[in-house]
């Protein structure tokens, strides 16, 4: 199992690096396929017909790619006006509500209503797409990765911190293996790494550098804490949807890892939040 996970992870890493190296068209294609796959998996969890889910996922991937590559004027209009601010703020507000519900029901469990499961897919996938491509187009690959890396750092540190420290369980009704020690480790690691990176390379094109340089220490720490909180909520929400559907993984597209949605669940919460905060700070 571990060998399979490593092989899949290495292949994914090579594909992503190659796509970034080849430029906009390649990265857009890979990102669109990933988003389409997530939409397919997400709607299947909501008990939609599999053929319909495949059709919608495929159509979404084609539409995202077509819009980004062949309708740049429309994309620029969206990004230059209030369109992206509205999209990211709507995503952030809904994720705030979901975060509160997830943490309130973390012990008793959350039987996610079917309409919420499919409606969240139709809202959050486009929100994440426009947020991701905005970061890539306007700020570059490194800046975009710096946002994605927050989730990676939080996820990895929570896993090893939870295993090493053990302690009280955090969400037995949704994800029984998660611990408070893991969540605390994630927050500490993201905060420490962010401030260390800012101290070492304050001019580096990182989202965290923007937050830290534009805000007070307490305000930036609060934003980073909320970002980790959203990351955890995104993970727990998918776990709740899967438990409601009675499945372990969103699919078996990625051997050893489950589905694409299993790998990107937290990003759907963090991406619109990151863009909303960035646009808000720019408006100050």
């Amino acid at each position: 199992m571990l060998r399979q996970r490593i092989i899949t992870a290495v292949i994914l890493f090579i594909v992503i690096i190659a796509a970034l190296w080849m430029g906009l068209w390649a990265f857009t294609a890979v990102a669109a396929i990933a988003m389409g796959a997530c939409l397919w998996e997400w709607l299947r969890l909501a008990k939609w017909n599999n053929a319909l889910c495949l059709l919608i996922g495929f159509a979404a991937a084609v539409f995202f790619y077509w819009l980004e590559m062949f309708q740049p004027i429309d994309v620029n209009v969206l990004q230059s006006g209030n369109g992206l601010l509205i999209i990211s703020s709507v995503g952030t507000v809904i994720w705030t509500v979901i975060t509160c519900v997830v943490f309130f029901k973390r012990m008793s469990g959350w039987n996610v209503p079917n309409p919420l499961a499919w409606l969240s897919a139709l809202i959050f996938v486009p929100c994440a797409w426009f947020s991701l491509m905005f970061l890539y187009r306007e700020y570059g690959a490194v800046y975009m990765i710096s946002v994605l890396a927050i989730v990676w750092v939080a996820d990895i540190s929570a896993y090893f911190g939870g295993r090493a420290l053990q302690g009280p369980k955090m969400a037995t009704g949704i994800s029984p293996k998660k611990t408070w020690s893991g969540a605390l480790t994630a927050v500490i690691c993201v905060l420490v790494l962010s401030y260390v990176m800012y101290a070492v390379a304050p001019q580096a094109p990182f989202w965290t550098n923007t937050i830290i340089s534009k805000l007070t220490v307490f305000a930036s720490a609060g934003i980073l804490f909320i970002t980790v909180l959203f990351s955890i909520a995104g993970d727990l929400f998918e776990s709740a949807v899967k438990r409601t559907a009675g499945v372990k993984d969103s699919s078996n597209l990625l051997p050893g890892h489950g589905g694409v949605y299993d790998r990107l669940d937290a990003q759907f919460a963090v991406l619109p939040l990151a863009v909303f905060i960035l646009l808000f700070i720019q408006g100050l």
Side-chain angles (χ1 to χ4, degrees), residues 207-262:
W207 182 81
T208 51
N209 281 358
T210 301
I211 303 305
I212 295 171
S213 64
K214 299 291 185 180
L215 302 173
T216 66
V217 173
F218 292 109
S220 60
I223 292 296
L224 292 172
F225 171 78
I226 292 173
T227 304
V228 176
L229 192 65
F230 268 50
S231 174
I232 296 172
D235 189 329
L236 289 177
F237 179 67
E238 194 221 2
S239 295
V241 172
K242 289 191 297 184
R243 286 176 74 87
T244 302
V247 299
K248 181 178 181 295
D249 298 317
S250 59
S251 78
N252 58 358
L253 284 180
L254 304 177
H257 291 265
V260 181
Y261 182 30
D262 292 322

Coordinates of all heavy atoms in Angstrom, one line a residue, residues 207-262:
W207 N 2.2 33.9 -0.8 CA 1.0 34.5 -0.3 C 1.2 34.8 1.2 O 0.7 35.9 1.6 CB -0.1 33.5 -0.5 CG -1.5 34.0 0.0 CD1 -2.3 34.8 -0.6 CD2 -2.1 33.6 1.3 NE1 -3.5 35.0 0.1 CE2 -3.4 34.3 1.3 CE3 -1.7 32.9 2.4 CZ2 -4.2 34.2 2.4 CZ3 -2.6 32.8 3.5 CH2 -3.8 33.4 3.5
T208 N 1.8 34.0 1.9 CA 2.1 34.3 3.4 C 2.9 35.5 3.6 O 2.7 36.3 4.5 CB 2.7 33.1 4.0 OG1 3.9 32.7 3.3 CG2 1.8 31.9 4.1
N209 N 3.9 35.8 2.7 CA 4.6 37.0 2.8 C 3.8 38.2 2.6 O 4.0 39.3 3.2 CB 5.8 37.0 1.7 CG 7.0 36.2 2.2 OD1 7.0 35.6 3.3 ND2 8.0 36.0 1.3
T210 N 2.8 38.1 1.6 CA 1.9 39.3 1.4 C 1.1 39.5 2.7 O 0.9 40.7 3.1 CB 0.9 38.9 0.3 OG1 1.7 38.7 -0.9 CG2 0.0 40.1 0.0
I211 N 0.6 38.5 3.3 CA -0.3 38.6 4.5 C 0.6 39.2 5.6 O 0.1 40.2 6.3 CB -0.8 37.3 4.9 CG1 -1.6 36.7 3.8 CG2 -1.7 37.4 6.2 CD1 -2.8 37.5 3.2
I212 N 1.8 38.7 5.8 CA 2.6 39.1 7.0 C 3.1 40.6 6.8 O 3.1 41.4 7.7 CB 3.8 38.2 7.2 CG1 3.2 36.8 7.6 CG2 4.7 38.7 8.2 CD1 4.3 35.7 7.6
S213 N 3.4 40.9 5.5 CA 4.0 42.3 5.3 C 2.9 43.4 5.3 O 3.2 44.5 5.6 CB 4.7 42.3 3.9 OG 3.7 42.1 2.8
K214 N 1.7 43.0 5.0 CA 0.6 44.0 4.9 C -0.2 44.2 6.2 O -0.9 45.2 6.4 CB -0.4 43.6 3.8 CG 0.2 43.6 2.4 CD 0.6 44.9 1.9 CE 1.0 44.9 0.5 NZ 1.4 46.2 -0.1
L215 N -0.1 43.2 7.1 CA -0.8 43.2 8.4 C 0.1 43.2 9.6 O 1.2 42.9 9.5 CB -1.8 42.0 8.4 CG -2.8 41.9 7.2 CD1 -3.6 40.6 7.3 CD2 -3.8 43.1 7.2
T216 N -0.5 43.5 10.7 CA 0.2 43.4 12.0 C 0.5 41.9 12.3 O -0.1 41.0 11.7 CB -0.6 44.0 13.2 OG1 -1.8 43.2 13.4 CG2 -1.0 45.4 12.9
V217 N 1.3 41.6 13.2 CA 1.7 40.3 13.6 C 0.4 39.5 14.1 O 0.2 38.4 13.6 CB 2.8 40.2 14.7 CG1 3.0 38.8 15.2 CG2 4.1 40.8 14.2
F218 N -0.4 40.1 14.9 CA -1.6 39.5 15.4 C -2.6 39.2 14.3 O -3.2 38.2 14.3 CB -2.2 40.3 16.6 CG -1.3 40.3 17.8 CD1 -0.7 41.5 18.1 CD2 -1.2 39.2 18.6 CE1 0.1 41.5 19.3 CE2 -0.4 39.2 19.7 CZ 0.3 40.4 20.1
A219 N -2.8 40.2 13.4 CA -3.7 40.1 12.4 C -3.3 39.0 11.4 O -4.1 38.1 11.0 CB -3.9 41.4 11.6
S220 N -2.0 38.9 11.0 CA -1.5 37.9 10.1 C -1.6 36.5 10.7 O -1.9 35.6 10.0 CB -0.1 38.3 9.6 OG 0.8 38.3 10.7
A221 N -1.3 36.5 12.0 CA -1.4 35.2 12.7 C -2.8 34.7 12.7 O -3.1 33.5 12.5 CB -0.8 35.3 14.1
G222 N -3.7 35.6 12.9 CA -5.1 35.2 12.9 C -5.6 34.7 11.6 O -6.3 33.8 11.5
I223 N -5.1 35.4 10.5 CA -5.5 35.0 9.1 C -4.9 33.6 8.9 O -5.6 32.7 8.3 CB -4.9 36.0 8.1 CG1 -5.7 37.3 8.2 CG2 -5.1 35.4 6.7 CD1 -7.1 37.2 7.9
L224 N -3.7 33.3 9.2 CA -3.1 32.0 9.0 C -3.8 30.9 9.8 O -4.0 29.8 9.3 CB -1.6 32.1 9.4 CG -0.7 32.9 8.5 CD1 0.7 33.1 9.0 CD2 -0.7 32.4 7.0
F225 N -4.2 31.3 11.0 CA -4.9 30.3 11.9 C -6.3 30.0 11.2 O -6.6 28.8 11.1 CB -5.2 30.9 13.3 CG -6.1 30.1 14.1 CD1 -5.7 29.0 14.8 CD2 -7.5 30.5 14.2 CE1 -6.6 28.2 15.5 CE2 -8.4 29.7 15.0 CZ -7.9 28.6 15.6
I226 N -7.0 31.0 10.7 CA -8.3 30.7 10.0 C -8.1 29.9 8.8 O -8.9 29.0 8.5 CB -8.9 32.1 9.7 CG1 -9.4 32.8 11.0 CG2 -10.1 31.9 8.8 CD1 -9.9 34.2 10.7
T227 N -7.0 30.1 8.1 CA -6.7 29.4 6.9 C -6.5 27.9 7.2 O -7.0 27.0 6.5 CB -5.4 29.9 6.2 OG1 -5.6 31.3 5.9 CG2 -5.2 29.2 4.8
V228 N -5.7 27.6 8.2 CA -5.6 26.2 8.7 C -6.9 25.6 9.1 O -7.2 24.5 8.8 CB -4.5 26.1 9.8 CG1 -4.4 24.7 10.3 CG2 -3.2 26.6 9.3
L229 N -7.7 26.4 9.8 CA -9.0 26.0 10.2 C -9.9 25.6 9.0 O -10.6 24.6 9.0 CB -9.7 27.1 11.0 CG -11.0 26.8 11.8 CD1 -10.6 25.8 12.9 CD2 -11.6 28.0 12.4
F230 N -9.9 26.4 8.0 CA -10.6 26.1 6.8 C -10.1 24.9 6.1 O -10.9 24.1 5.6 CB -10.5 27.3 5.8 CG -11.6 28.3 5.9 CD1 -12.0 28.8 7.1 CD2 -12.3 28.7 4.8 CE1 -13.0 29.8 7.2 CE2 -13.4 29.6 4.9 CZ -13.7 30.2 6.1
S231 N -8.8 24.7 6.2 CA -8.2 23.5 5.6 C -8.7 22.2 6.3 O -9.1 21.2 5.6 CB -6.7 23.5 5.7 OG -6.0 22.3 5.3
I232 N -8.7 22.3 7.6 CA -9.3 21.1 8.4 C -10.7 20.9 8.1 O -11.2 19.8 7.9 CB -9.0 21.4 9.9 CG1 -7.5 21.4 10.2 CG2 -9.7 20.3 10.7 CD1 -7.2 21.9 11.6
A233 N -11.5 22.0 8.0 CA -12.9 21.9 7.7 C -13.2 21.3 6.4 O -14.1 20.5 6.2 CB -13.6 23.3 7.8
G234 N -12.4 21.7 5.4 CA -12.5 21.1 4.0 C -12.4 19.6 4.0 O -13.1 18.9 3.4
D235 N -11.4 19.2 4.8 CA -11.1 17.8 4.9 C -12.3 17.1 5.6 O -12.7 16.0 5.2 CB -9.8 17.6 5.7 CG -9.3 16.2 5.8 OD1 -10.1 15.2 5.7 OD2 -8.1 15.9 5.8
L236 N -12.7 17.6 6.7 CA -13.8 17.0 7.5 C -15.1 17.0 6.8 O -15.9 16.1 6.9 CB -13.9 17.8 8.9 CG -12.8 17.6 9.9 CD1 -13.1 18.4 11.1 CD2 -12.7 16.1 10.3
F237 N -15.3 18.1 6.0 CA -16.6 18.1 5.2 C -16.6 16.9 4.2 O -17.7 16.3 4.1 CB -16.7 19.4 4.5 CG -18.0 19.5 3.6 CD1 -19.2 19.5 4.2 CD2 -17.9 19.6 2.3 CE1 -20.4 19.6 3.5 CE2 -19.1 19.7 1.5 CZ -20.3 19.7 2.1
E238 N -15.5 16.7 3.5 CA -15.5 15.6 2.6 C -15.7 14.3 3.3 O -16.4 13.4 2.8 CB -14.2 15.6 1.8 CG -14.3 14.6 0.6 CD -13.1 13.8 0.3 OE1 -12.1 13.9 1.1 OE2 -13.1 13.0 -0.7
S239 N -15.1 14.2 4.5 CA -15.2 12.9 5.3 C -16.7 12.7 5.7 O -17.2 11.6 5.6 CB -14.4 13.0 6.6 OG -13.0 13.0 6.2
A240 N -17.4 13.8 6.0 CA -18.8 13.7 6.4 C -19.6 13.3 5.1 O -20.5 12.5 5.3 CB -19.3 15.1 6.9
V241 N -19.3 13.9 4.0 CA -20.0 13.5 2.8 C -19.8 12.0 2.4 O -20.8 11.3 2.1 CB -19.6 14.4 1.6 CG1 -20.2 13.9 0.3 CG2 -20.0 15.8 1.8
K242 N -18.6 11.6 2.6 CA -18.3 10.2 2.3 C -18.9 9.2 3.3 O -19.4 8.2 2.9 CB -16.8 9.9 2.3 CG -16.0 10.6 1.1 CD -14.6 10.1 0.9 CE -13.8 10.5 2.1 NZ -12.3 10.1 1.9
R243 N -18.9 9.6 4.6 CA -19.6 8.7 5.6 C -21.1 8.7 5.3 O -21.7 7.6 5.5 CB -19.3 9.3 7.0 CG -17.9 9.0 7.5 CD -17.7 9.7 8.8 NE -18.3 8.9 9.9 CZ -17.8 7.9 10.5 NH1 -16.6 7.5 10.2 NH2 -18.4 7.3 11.5
T244 N -21.7 9.8 4.9 CA -23.1 9.8 4.6 C -23.4 8.9 3.4 O -24.4 8.2 3.3 CB -23.6 11.2 4.2 OG1 -23.3 12.1 5.3 CG2 -25.0 11.3 3.9
A245 N -22.5 8.9 2.4 CA -22.6 8.1 1.2 C -22.2 6.6 1.4 O -22.5 5.7 0.6 CB -21.8 8.6 0.1
G246 N -21.5 6.4 2.6 CA -21.2 5.0 2.9 C -20.0 4.5 2.1 O -19.9 3.3 1.9
V247 N -19.0 5.4 1.8 CA -17.8 5.0 1.0 C -16.6 5.5 1.8 O -16.6 6.4 2.5 CB -17.8 5.5 -0.4 CG1 -19.1 5.0 -1.2 CG2 -17.9 7.1 -0.4
K248 N -15.5 4.8 1.5 CA -14.2 5.2 2.1 C -13.5 6.2 1.3 O -12.9 7.1 1.9 CB -13.3 3.9 2.3 CG -12.0 4.2 2.9 CD -11.2 2.9 3.1 CE -9.9 3.1 3.8 NZ -8.9 4.0 3.0
D249 N -13.5 6.1 0.0 CA -12.8 7.0 -0.9 C -13.8 7.6 -1.9 O -14.8 7.0 -2.3 CB -11.6 6.3 -1.7 CG -10.6 5.8 -0.7 OD1 -10.2 6.5 0.2 OD2 -10.1 4.6 -0.9
S250 N -13.4 8.8 -2.5 CA -14.3 9.4 -3.5 C -14.3 8.6 -4.8 O -15.2 8.7 -5.6 CB -13.9 10.9 -3.7 OG -12.6 11.0 -4.1
S251 N -13.2 7.9 -5.1 CA -13.1 7.0 -6.2 C -11.8 6.3 -6.1 O -11.1 6.4 -5.0 CB -13.1 7.8 -7.6 OG -11.8 8.4 -7.8
N252 N -11.4 5.5 -7.1 CA -10.1 4.8 -7.1 C -9.2 5.3 -8.2 O -8.4 4.5 -8.7 CB -10.3 3.3 -7.1 CG -11.1 2.9 -8.4 OD1 -11.5 3.7 -9.2 ND2 -11.3 1.6 -8.5
L253 N -9.3 6.6 -8.7 CA -8.5 7.1 -9.8 C -7.1 7.1 -9.4 O -6.2 7.0 -10.3 CB -9.0 8.5 -10.1 CG -10.3 8.6 -10.9 CD1 -10.7 10.1 -11.2 CD2 -10.2 7.8 -12.2
L254 N -6.7 7.4 -8.2 CA -5.3 7.5 -7.8 C -5.0 6.3 -6.9 O -5.3 6.3 -5.7 CB -5.1 8.8 -7.0 CG -5.5 10.1 -7.8 CD1 -5.3 11.3 -6.9 CD2 -4.7 10.2 -9.1
P255 N -4.3 5.3 -7.4 CA -4.0 4.1 -6.6 C -3.2 4.4 -5.3 O -2.3 5.1 -5.4 CB -3.1 3.3 -7.6 CG -3.6 3.7 -8.9 CD -3.9 5.2 -8.8
G256 N -3.8 3.9 -4.2 CA -3.1 4.2 -2.9 C -3.6 5.5 -2.3 O -3.3 5.7 -1.1
H257 N -4.2 6.4 -3.0 CA -4.7 7.7 -2.5 C -6.2 7.8 -2.5 O -6.7 8.8 -2.0 CB -4.0 8.8 -3.3 CG -2.6 8.9 -3.1 ND1 -2.0 9.8 -2.2 CD2 -1.5 8.3 -3.7 CE1 -0.7 9.7 -2.2 NE2 -0.4 8.8 -3.1
G258 N -6.9 7.0 -3.2 CA -8.3 7.2 -3.4 C -8.6 8.0 -4.6 O -8.2 7.7 -5.7
G259 N -9.4 9.0 -4.5 CA -9.8 9.9 -5.6 C -9.1 11.2 -5.6 O -8.4 11.5 -4.7
V260 N -9.3 11.9 -6.7 CA -8.7 13.3 -6.8 C -9.3 14.2 -5.8 O -8.6 15.0 -5.2 CB -9.0 13.9 -8.2 CG1 -8.4 15.2 -8.4 CG2 -8.5 12.9 -9.3
Y261 N -10.6 14.1 -5.5 CA -11.3 14.9 -4.5 C -10.7 14.6 -3.1 O -10.5 15.5 -2.3 CB -12.8 14.6 -4.5 CG -13.6 15.4 -3.5 CD1 -13.2 16.7 -3.1 CD2 -14.7 14.9 -2.9 CE1 -13.9 17.4 -2.2 CE2 -15.5 15.6 -2.0 CZ -15.1 16.9 -1.6 OH -15.8 17.6 -0.7
D262 N -10.3 13.4 -2.8 CA -9.6 13.0 -1.6 C -8.3 13.8 -1.4 O -7.9 14.1 -0.3 CB -9.3 11.5 -1.5 CG -10.6 10.7 -1.4 OD1 -11.5 11.1 -0.7 OD2 -10.6 9.6 -2.1

